[in-house]
Amino acid sequence: MILQWNELASIKRELAERDWFPGTSGNLSIKVQDDPLQCLVTVSGKDKYKETLEDFVLVNEDGQPLTDEGKPSAETVIHLEVYKKTDAGCSLHVHTLDNNLISDLYFEQGFITFKGVELIKAFGIWEEDGQLTIPIVENYADLPTLGKAISHVIEPDTKAVLIRNHGITVWGRNAFEAKRHLEACEFLFSYQMKLLHAKAANLKEVIKNGSY
Amino acid sequence: MILQWNELASIKRELAERDWFPGTSGNLSIKVQDDPLQCLVTVSGKDKYKETLEDFVLVNEDGQPLTDEGKPSAETVIHLEVYKKTDAGCSLHVHTLDNNLISDLYFEQGFITFKGVELIKAFGIWEEDGQLTIPIVENYADLPTLGKAISHVIEPDTKAVLIRNHGITVWGRNAFEAKRHLEACEFLFSYQMKLLHAKAANLKEVIKNGSY
Amino acid sequence: MILQWNELASIKRELAERDWFPGTSGNLSIKVQDDPLQCLVTVSGKDKYKETLEDFVLVNEDGQPLTDEGKPSAETVIHLEVYKKTDAGCSLHVHTLDNNLISDLYFEQGFITFKGVELIKAFGIWEEDGQLTIPIVENYADLPTLGKAISHVIEPDTKAVLIRNHGITVWGRNAFEAKRHLEACEFLFSYQMKLLHAKAANLKEVIKNGSY
Amino acid sequence: MILQWNELASIKRELAERDWFPGTSGNLSIKVQDDPLQCLVTVSGKDKYKETLEDFVLVNEDGQPLTDEGKPSAETVIHLEVYKKTDAGCSLHVHTLDNNLISDLYFEQGFITFKGVELIKAFGIWEEDGQLTIPIVENYADLPTLGKAISHVIEPDTKAVLIRNHGITVWGRNAFEAKRHLEACEFLFSYQMKLLHAKAANLKEVIKNGSY
């Protein structure tokens, strides 16, 4: 378990450096064993910009703590749904400005699709016309309901789900892959926001007509 | 007092890393005792990106220095008003681009309200339809007048007040809570600015009509 | 070879601090000898925010690895084309939001030209009416084709090529010059995006008419 | 001289952390003695994100090097004009996106004025209706001409001059004050850009009419 603890601590440190845990938000987990499912998950309500010896707690498949580091994150149920539905070995949930914006702007559509952008290769999509789709679900206050809603939209090739005005849940077979997916998602979201504003401002016309 | 000094130094260091003290702006305080009120407050005019042994000075309920580290911040009066009106144990005042923008754009309205955004949970608001309101006051050059204006708008559930084109004053029962509130406020302000620009640029229409 | 390894490691570290390797993207190389051509290039698929003893692998002029640190980046072919066509001693390929945006907005035009901006001096252009042109090529999924497309647009004074929705390839006679060119390009791209939005929003009129 | 060297090295380190020296741009100086004038100035063409023992060179009032650390910055002439015209003890010249934008957008007007914004207090302006004016000059390629143009617009209360599409030159009686002025300028420029875009996008109307 020390290996998984260290991997999760390393990811937590890197995401903290990116400022992705504002106001104690966000939660992370890593699978420790499969059958029965056990995973390490961040302790509830802590300042994730700091590093302590009680950052993570081991929970079982029902989210019950197996060690006494502290109370598991209230959103542990979401991580468990991901492990039950996919081959994920690590699951990350963070709030950023751009993942919140995308979740709001594309909510009616129910998903966002990326194609023709190099960074989708981070999801193993190398075909010239390949595409990446990320579903978006309502932000149910009741967390088991939210967990089920997320589970419901996961298709075999899904690697991430957006929650409206709340953030992203993203995973990978291991910690390395989960972090790669998360970094790529955030790049794609930020790029999409900039493309949308460029389109809205008609920048291609500005370029054609102007001295710029 | 060494405990409170260290807590305040730790918060100052973290906010400095976020670049929230441009041009020596900003001031911080932490309560040391209640009756009579005493608190540590940042010394006036120092570069808060640097750490020294004279960063804070102990003041009494009238803002008079009780130690000789230096002159207390001119805005100490604001911190004292907060301690007298609330159960705050720590109070933070910083200038950021987005808290200045929000204070300017919503000044006529006199407040800004957030609802339906996950980060309001950082203020202990967990209800599905819960909301957070932050009052905005005029930036009186006379600091006792400004202090009174801030005190005047504080309701029992107020955790932060914006000053027009000046910055935010935010507090919590302790240093941990004050920082959590501040981080959440700044996320909410930045997100609101991005939502407003998305709305102004009609991005939902761009999404419906365009190839993006 | 230890000198070149260390120079490349130093640049990798600096670009990582700028967050220019999202989702394991980006690749770097440095020339070790000229005839026959050998260069150190980043190993494929690694997290470039981390530093290891297997970050780079030596390849020959055909891109074949000469040491066993790992598989060379799939885009090694692009670096080799640059070394064959120019006097480059170091070549850098990174994905940023603004280099992607510029590559998209100016793709139809096939290039972007900068003049009247101080930072073009970083390319040795000191004349009052000097200008810098950066060609933009299609993002062919087939990497040898992409390499040829890049080679095809390189003129004697070309120092960088943009790939549509993919990123920039930039070089210099040595590591110092390559990094200087890259930093200047990214500043110029970000500035151009801000100028375009200022133009689209008609900010000069806002200034003339308004209270701002 | 070791004191001034260390003060300048400290400022260089802090500005480097802010990424204000892209593509080897920027130059800094500090006065070492008054009559005859001598100052330490950054050596030309170096990567200012790195720290070496040859970062600064002592020059006389004509800009001639008095030590052999290297060639003084080509823009040393600007620093000398500032020392001759003002009581400056330290002068800083950096390129940022927002100081370039402001210098471009307000160039026809020839200056930019800030009032009603708290951060002008960093310039010692504490009156309720106080204001700060920063002149903007053409970016003459001939550096002595540029130096004279800057000298020409300096009034007794001037603390900074913008050069069109080039950057800012800002000073203070000492290193501490120069840095405080620079940080405040950059905050004010960034805030002004955001205010202009908020005005152009009519955000106050969006707030009044919309659900946001």
Side-chain angles (χ1 to χ4, degrees), chain C residues 18-197:
Chain C
R18 291 169 180 276
D19 193 18
W20 284 355
F21 300 127
T24 76
S25 70
N27 38 78
L28 316 173
S29 74
I30 194 164
K31 195 156 72 176
V32 171
Q33 71 169 46
D34 241 323
D35 194 8
L37 174 63
Q38 291 185 2
C39 64
L40 284 166
V41 66
T42 37
V43 167
S44 180
K46 298 195 70 172
D47 180 350
K48 286 163 200 81
Y49 296 120
K50 293 196 163 55
E51 200 162 348
T52 74
L53 296 174
E54 296 85 30
D55 283 343
F56 312 117
V57 55
L58 189 70
V59 301
N60 67 13
E61 58 190 335
D62 301 316
Q64 297 305 310
L66 301 173
T67 52
D68 54 2
E69 272 83 6
K71 196 182 146 201
S73 164
E75 289 170 350
T76 298
V77 58
I78 297 175
H79 294 266
L80 294 172
E81 292 286 354
V82 167
Y83 291 125
K84 287 168 187 171
K85 189 76 181 270
T86 73
D87 63 350
C90 179
S91 166
L92 311 173
H93 169 62
V94 298
H95 305 63
T96 68
L97 295 173
D98 285 333
N99 73 30
N100 271 256
L101 276 165
I102 293 288
S103 77
D104 185 66
L105 291 170
Y106 287 84
F107 177 73
E108 279 79 15
Q109 184 173 303
F111 61 88
I112 182 168
T113 294
F114 297 98
K115 54 184 169 187
V117 191
E118 186 69 9
L119 255 286
I120 64 173
K121 285 187 182 170
F123 295 86
I125 300 165
W126 289 78
E127 304 79 38
E128 190 138 18
D129 57 352
Q131 62 180 49
L132 170 74
T133 293
I134 299 174
I136 306 170
V137 300
E138 181 57 275
N139 184 21
Y140 298 104
D142 179 63
L143 292 170
T145 306
L146 179 56
K148 290 298 175 200
I150 288 171
S151 177
H152 184 69
V153 296
I154 295 176
E155 302 283 338
D157 59 349
T158 307
K159 302 292 184 214
V161 175
L162 282 164
I163 309 165
R164 187 190 198 177
N165 277 321
H166 178 150
I168 195 172
T169 288
V170 59
W171 58 89
R173 284 168 299 176
N174 48 47
F176 167 79
E177 203 177 87
K179 187 175 89 88
R180 188 182 71 206
H181 291 166
L182 176 56
E183 286 175 11
C185 279
E186 294 299 327
F187 184 94
L188 291 167
F189 297 152
S190 297
Y191 187 45
Q192 187 71 6
M193 286 308 303
K194 287 189 170 240
L195 280 175
L196 287 171
H197 275 292

Side-chain angles (χ1 to χ4, degrees), chain D residues 159-179:
Chain D
K159 302 292 183 214
V161 176
L162 282 164
I163 309 165
R164 188 190 197 177
N165 277 322
H166 178 148
I168 195 171
T169 287
V170 58
W171 57 89
R173 284 167 302 175
N174 48 48
F176 167 78
E177 203 176 88
K179 188 176 87 91

Side-chain angles (χ1 to χ4, degrees), chain B residues 3 60 63-64 71 76 79 128 134 136 166 170 177 185 203:
Chain B
L3 176 68
N60 68 13
Q64 296 306 310
K71 195 182 148 202
T76 297
H79 295 265
E128 190 138 17
I134 299 174
I136 307 170
H166 178 151
V170 60
E177 203 177 87
C185 279
L203 293 195

Side-chain angles (χ1 to χ4, degrees), chain C residues 10 14 18 116-119 122 128 176 179-180 183-184 187 190-191 194-195 197-198 201 203-204 206-207 212, chain D residues 19 22-24 45 47 49-50 75 95 97-98 100-101 104 106 108 139 141 165-166 195-197 199-200:
Chain C
S10 169
E14 286 186 74
R18 291 169 180 276
V117 191
E118 186 69 9
L119 255 286
E128 190 138 18
F176 167 79
K179 187 175 89 88
R180 188 182 71 206
E183 286 175 11
F187 184 94
S190 297
Y191 187 45
K194 287 189 170 240
L195 280 175
H197 275 292
L203 293 194
K204 287 194 182 179
V206 174
I207 291 167
Y212 289 100
Chain D
D19 193 17
T24 77
D47 181 350
Y49 295 120
K50 294 194 165 56
E75 290 171 349
H95 305 62
L97 295 173
D98 285 333
N100 271 255
L101 277 166
D104 184 67
Y106 287 83
E108 278 80 14
N139 184 21
N165 277 322
H166 178 148
L195 280 175
L196 288 171
H197 275 292
K199 179 86 174 171

Side-chain angles (χ1 to χ4, degrees), chain A residues 22-23 97, chain B residues 20 92 94 96 98-99 102 112 114 117 119-123 132-135 158-162 167-171 177-193:
Chain A
L97 295 173
Chain B
W20 284 354
L92 311 173
V94 298
T96 67
D98 285 332
N99 72 30
I102 293 288
I112 183 168
F114 297 99
V117 191
L119 255 286
I120 63 172
K121 285 187 183 169
F123 294 86
L132 170 75
T133 293
I134 299 174
T158 307
K159 302 293 184 212
V161 176
L162 281 165
I168 195 172
T169 287
V170 60
W171 57 88
E177 203 177 87
K179 188 176 88 87
R180 189 183 69 207
H181 291 165
L182 176 56
E183 286 175 11
C185 279
E186 294 299 326
F187 184 93
L188 291 167
F189 296 152
S190 297
Y191 187 45
Q192 186 73 4
M193 287 308 302

